Amino acid sequence: MTATEPAASDVMTSETSTQPAPGGTPPRRPLIARAAAELVGTAALVAIVVGSGIQATELTGDVALQLLANSTATVFGLGVLIALLGPVSGAHFNPVVSLAEWWTARRGGAGVTGRELAVYVPSQIAGAIAGAILADAMFGEPLVKWSTHDRSAGNLLLGEVVATTGLILLIFGLARTDRLRFAPVAVASYIGAAYWFTSSTSFANPAVTIGRTFTDTFAGIAPSSIAAFIGMQLLGAVAGLALVALIFMNSKHGKDAGEPSAS
């Protein structure tokens, strides 16, 4: 993948050419379109997470049912967003995915450039904040109210390492084996499962973590917990890339596979 914008003579060809699999970073979209897709996609993802959490707590006092409703909405919403926006930006919606893709590109793989990374990450963070505010507005909550939900316990931090490691392993493993067409289902399914098998309920995303500090509701996280959570997510990204290199070391790199994306 390159960051080269399409020449005028290439427009007709690009319009009729086969689109990359959802989750792969396509090469010919204008950067402003990709940034908009990342902002809107991350905003929608956080609105789904926060909004479904608020709705669940209003409908039932059973915490297990609340988490079930929250995770189910996230699975369906994330899958739709990856399928819709994957062909535009790669549907990263996640700074650790963008950072991992940039790292693989530096080492000779396909992925975002430094310039694209510098646009993607702020777009994702801005989108996450906007999504949390939007969810609060839809349910009549204060638009900005810092979360008081402390998530600083060591077992929760370990959960974030595990969740992020698995996410990076899945996404880049699919890329290495030319199966990114399965990204919408595979990534959404993994996040849904990780809601339940990790102690942290699988944030696995620095932008989403930041956005969720802006809401003092079911899905919120206290600002004091942010730094440790993001640190563990970055550690998980490193571990995930190391596992990809180990497990898929003999895999053939498809020329058009790209390095992927999602949540």
Side-chain angles (χ1 to χ4, degrees):
M1 184 216 100
T2 68
T4 305
E5 304 297 344
S9 61
D10 294 332
V11 172
M12 292 300 295
T13 301
S14 65
E15 288 297 322
T16 58
S17 61
T18 302
Q19 292 291 341
T25 304
R28 291 183 176 174
R29 298 286 181 174
L31 183 55
I32 188 170
R34 284 177 273 156
E38 287 298 302
L39 189 151
V40 171
T42 312
L45 174 59
V46 174
I48 290 166
V49 172
V50 174
S52 62
I54 296 172
Q55 183 79 286
T57 57
E58 291 183 352
L59 293 175
T60 179
D62 187 319
V63 177
L65 286 178
Q66 291 170 359
L67 185 60
L68 179 61
N70 192 212
S71 60
T72 301
T74 301
V75 167
F76 286 118
L78 179 57
V80 168
L81 290 171
I82 296 172
L84 175 65
L85 299 175
V88 179
S89 68
H92 294 194
F93 314 147
N94 188 337
V96 295
V97 173
S98 299
L99 281 165
E101 188 176 296
W102 168 77
W103 176 256
T104 61
R106 287 181 70 251
R107 298 177 64 83
V112 297
T113 64
R115 174 171 171 261
E116 292 169 321
L117 180 68
V119 173
Y120 269 41
V121 173
S123 298
Q124 293 157 355
I125 294 172
I129 294 170
I133 293 172
L134 175 61
D136 282 340
M138 287 192 292
F139 286 91
E141 300 287 338
L143 296 187
V144 176
K145 185 177 181 182
W146 300 118
S147 176
T148 56
H149 194 163
D150 180 76
R151 299 178 188 263
S152 60
N155 64 302
L156 302 183
L157 300 180
L158 176 59
E160 277 303 283
V161 175
V162 172
T164 312
T165 299
L167 178 64
I168 295 299
L169 175 60
L170 170 62
I171 291 171
F172 287 81
L174 289 175
R176 288 285 184 98
T177 54
D178 296 339
R179 293 184 297 171
L180 280 172
R181 63 189 178 279
F182 299 119
V185 171
V187 174
S189 297
Y190 172 78
I191 291 298
Y195 257 84
W196 290 90
F197 79 77
T198 65
S199 56
S200 64
T201 65
S202 183
F203 285 49
N205 185 327
V208 168
T209 302
I210 292 170
R212 287 167 68 167
T213 65
F214 283 74
T215 178
D216 191 22
T217 58
F218 178 81
I221 177 173
S224 60
S225 301
I226 289 181
F229 251 54
I230 292 178
M232 295 303 101
Q233 291 159 358
L234 293 173
L235 180 60
V238 172
L241 285 177
L243 287 175
V244 170
L246 175 64
I247 295 170
F248 300 101
M249 65 172 66
N250 293 322
S251 294
K252 177 181 179 291
H253 288 262
K255 286 165 47 175
D256 298 322
E259 297 291 352
S261 245
S263 162

